[in-house]
Amino acid sequence: MARLLPDPTFYPSPTMAAEAAPESLAYVALLATGDNGQKDALGVVDTDPRSTDFGRLVGRVELPHGGNELHHFGWNACSSHLCGYAPNPHMERRFLVVPGIHSSRIHVVDTKQDPRNPRLVKVLEPEEVFRKTGYAAPHTVHCGPDGIYMNALGSIDGDGPGGIFVIDHETFEVKGRWERERGPQNLAYDFWWHLGHDTMITSEWGTPNMVQDGLNPELLMGGKYGNSIHVWDLKTRRHLSKLELGAEQQMVLELRPAHNPRRAYGFVGVVISLADLSSSIWTWYLDADSGQWKVRKVIEIPAEPADPALLPPILAPFGAVPPLVSDINLSLDDRQLYVSCWGTGELRQYDVTDPFEPKLTGSVRIGGIVRRTPHPSNPQRPLNGAPQMVEISRDGSRVYITNSLYSPWDAQFYPEGIRGWMAKADVSPQGGMKLDERFLVEFEDGIRPHQVRLQGGDASSDSFCYA
């Protein structure tokens, strides 16, 4: 039934969204590798500090299969439905859409009736995705003004091109490919947009055949993984330009455009440089003088020297542990950028009020390939894995992190096996942050957490048309 008022979790602007009530639940993708009889799930974690269940897993919906390799997921609808041209403002933020990049299966989970015990209501089998899009390995999910946008890492045969397709946000019918003219784009990873500038940005990782058996050292040293971002016309669905970051920059992953739709810039993280194993953050921007989109490096995080005996075989010859920046996230006020260093076990906070001159304002350590930094709740017990997926509350006061990257890659960098956990850092209004001693969710053996979505919205699942 159509709603007469917009969903109360939709906000016209990021400023208004930041004034929303704090989240009380977090939804977490829980993946099983599929070889031990365990099944994938969507977990529910209590995030209300007044609750007796605070920091505990209080619910879960088990999916029919393991081995889907759950990665990113998102809402069927969000604040973008308040855009003036959005055809369906009556929609609700109700369903979580959860794809698997190994299975190409897409799950639809209803959170409305009992948010602590969501229900699986639909499964799109891979054959439908293949038949209607020609793509495989669905990954990022964003709720657009007119439907659910999802990208895929590659084509049905596991090679390129990867690309974007659209799903109806009410019926969940796959509508087909999004691109009308793709230009030189072949590799895919993430996508997002500047709704105020009718522009989409996409990034590059590797095709399914390049990543699903682990990081391929030959491909890496040959510079075959992604090193560019692509600019698209959001209305005509045509490729506009390719912005190259340099051949030594490998694996250009998470895209975080400014939330204020008037601002024409954003940030992207690069996993590794072949020159020195560093990671980096780049700012893309619309140059006012030339009218062209450009990109420049604004942060470089060096590798840390390490005893080869403490390193996994893939890193031992280098005698260093690279940061391996695998996720970044931008607060709704566009002031603070969080950077997860999955190799060195660090979560960094930067003030990016000036997007071209970021200032490091905070850091916490937990896990890491060498350090194994404990959580403050148990200072004697080393943890493995490290900050990986990052999610920020709408008011910017809380940052949630999980520690699993991608099963085939987990096994290369943490060969003993990731022991899954989720932690929270509290942010100081003056800058800086610290881990919450009361909040460490540890998952059973064989289950690994990946992306987090907060009830009512968060800093990476909404888009806005008003400043």
Side-chain angles (χ1 to χ4, degrees), residues 338-350:
Y338 294 86
V339 178
S340 61
C341 302
W342 189 66
T344 48
E346 183 181 19
L347 177 68
R348 291 186 170 206
Q349 179 199 62
Y350 290 88

Side-chain angles (χ1 to χ4, degrees), residues 85 193-201 231-236 240 257-266 284-288 291 293 464-465 467:
Y85 57 89
W193 40 53
H194 294 282
L195 293 179
H197 298 269
D198 293 329
T199 299
M200 178 182 282
I201 309 291
V231 183
W232 305 74
D233 186 308
L234 191 53
K235 285 193 172 179
T236 66
L240 295 176
H259 296 288
N260 184 328
R262 294 178 181 171
R263 295 172 177 157
Y265 65 81
W284 77 77
Y285 60 100
L286 181 60
D287 183 71
W293 289 90
F464 305 92
C465 275

Side-chain angles (χ1 to χ4, degrees), residues 33-273:
T33 54
D35 55 4
N36 57 6
Q38 292 176 293
K39 295 180 179 178
D40 297 323
L42 189 68
V44 186
V45 173
D46 190 323
T47 59
D48 182 351
R50 301 164 300 178
S51 169
T52 56
D53 290 325
F54 175 64
R56 294 180 181 175
L57 188 69
V58 295
R60 67 195 295 163
V61 53
E62 198 166 79
L63 306 183
H65 307 86
N68 291 292
E69 195 65 31
L70 307 182
H71 219 237
H72 292 196
F73 64 104
W75 296 100
N76 67 309
C78 62
S79 298
S80 64
H81 282 66
L82 297 184
C83 292
Y85 57 89
N88 299 286
H90 63 280
M91 289 292 296
E92 294 179 278
R93 187 198 306 268
R94 171 173 179 171
F95 300 98
L96 284 166
V97 183
V98 188
I101 57 177
H102 280 185
S103 67
S104 295
R105 193 176 284 121
I106 300 171
H107 312 84
V108 181
V109 175
D110 187 353
T111 67
K112 182 175 181 178
Q113 297 302 326
D114 184 353
R116 286 181 168 235
N117 293 288
R119 296 182 302 119
L120 178 68
V121 295
K122 186 165 186 174
V123 178
L124 302 177
E125 294 297 339
E127 291 76 14
E128 180 176 356
V129 178
F130 298 161
R131 178 167 50 83
K132 294 185 176 179
T133 73
Y135 291 139
H139 182 259
T140 299
V141 182
H142 280 304
C143 41
D146 55 347
I148 301 167
Y149 287 62
M150 187 174 297
N151 78 335
L153 298 181
S155 58
I156 300 172
D157 63 5
D159 293 325
I164 296 170
F165 59 98
V166 181
I167 298 176
D168 186 279
H169 48 192
E170 284 188 290
T171 66
F172 302 104
E173 177 188 359
V174 178
K175 299 173 75 172
R177 285 193 181 201
W178 176 79
E179 302 89 352
R180 289 181 178 151
E181 184 178 300
R182 66 175 350 107
Q185 181 267 329
N186 184 55
L187 300 179
Y189 179 73
D190 199 14
F191 75 98
W192 215 350
W193 40 53
H194 294 282
L195 293 179
H197 298 269
D198 293 329
T199 299
M200 178 182 282
I201 309 291
T202 65
S203 63
E204 297 184 338
W205 182 22
T207 66
N209 287 339
M210 295 169 66
V211 303
Q212 64 192 4
D213 294 323
L215 176 63
N216 185 318
E218 290 186 8
L219 293 178
L220 176 65
M221 300 311 292
K224 302 299 184 183
Y225 288 100
N227 63 5
S228 302
I229 60 175
H230 299 264
V231 183
W232 305 74
D233 186 308
L234 191 53
K235 285 193 172 179
T236 66
R237 307 183 183 186
R238 300 183 190 283
H239 186 274
L240 295 176
S241 61
K242 178 181 181 180
L243 307 180
E244 297 183 355
L245 279 56
E248 75 280 10
Q249 306 295 339
Q250 289 288 283
M251 294 177 279
V252 184
L253 299 187
E254 306 293 342
L255 298 161
R256 304 300 178 201
H259 296 288
N260 184 328
R262 294 178 181 171
R263 295 172 177 157
Y265 65 81
F267 303 92
V268 62
V270 177
V271 176
I272 197 164
S273 166

Side-chain angles (χ1 to χ4, degrees), residues 209 244 296 327 343 357 391 434:
N209 287 339
E244 297 183 355
R296 75 165 77 159
D327 192 19
E357 295 289 342
E391 196 49 73
K434 66 176 183 178

Side-chain angles (χ1 to χ4, degrees), residues 264-265 267 283-285 296-298 352-358:
Y265 65 81
F267 303 92
T283 299
W284 77 77
Y285 60 100
R296 75 165 77 159
K297 183 161 63 175
V298 295
V352 290
T353 303
D354 180 345
F356 301 106
E357 295 289 342

Side-chain angles (χ1 to χ4, degrees), residues 2-21:
R3 295 172 55 86
L4 298 180
L5 293 172
D7 185 308
T9 70
F10 293 176
Y11 294 89
S13 72
T15 301
M16 296 178 70
E19 296 171 352

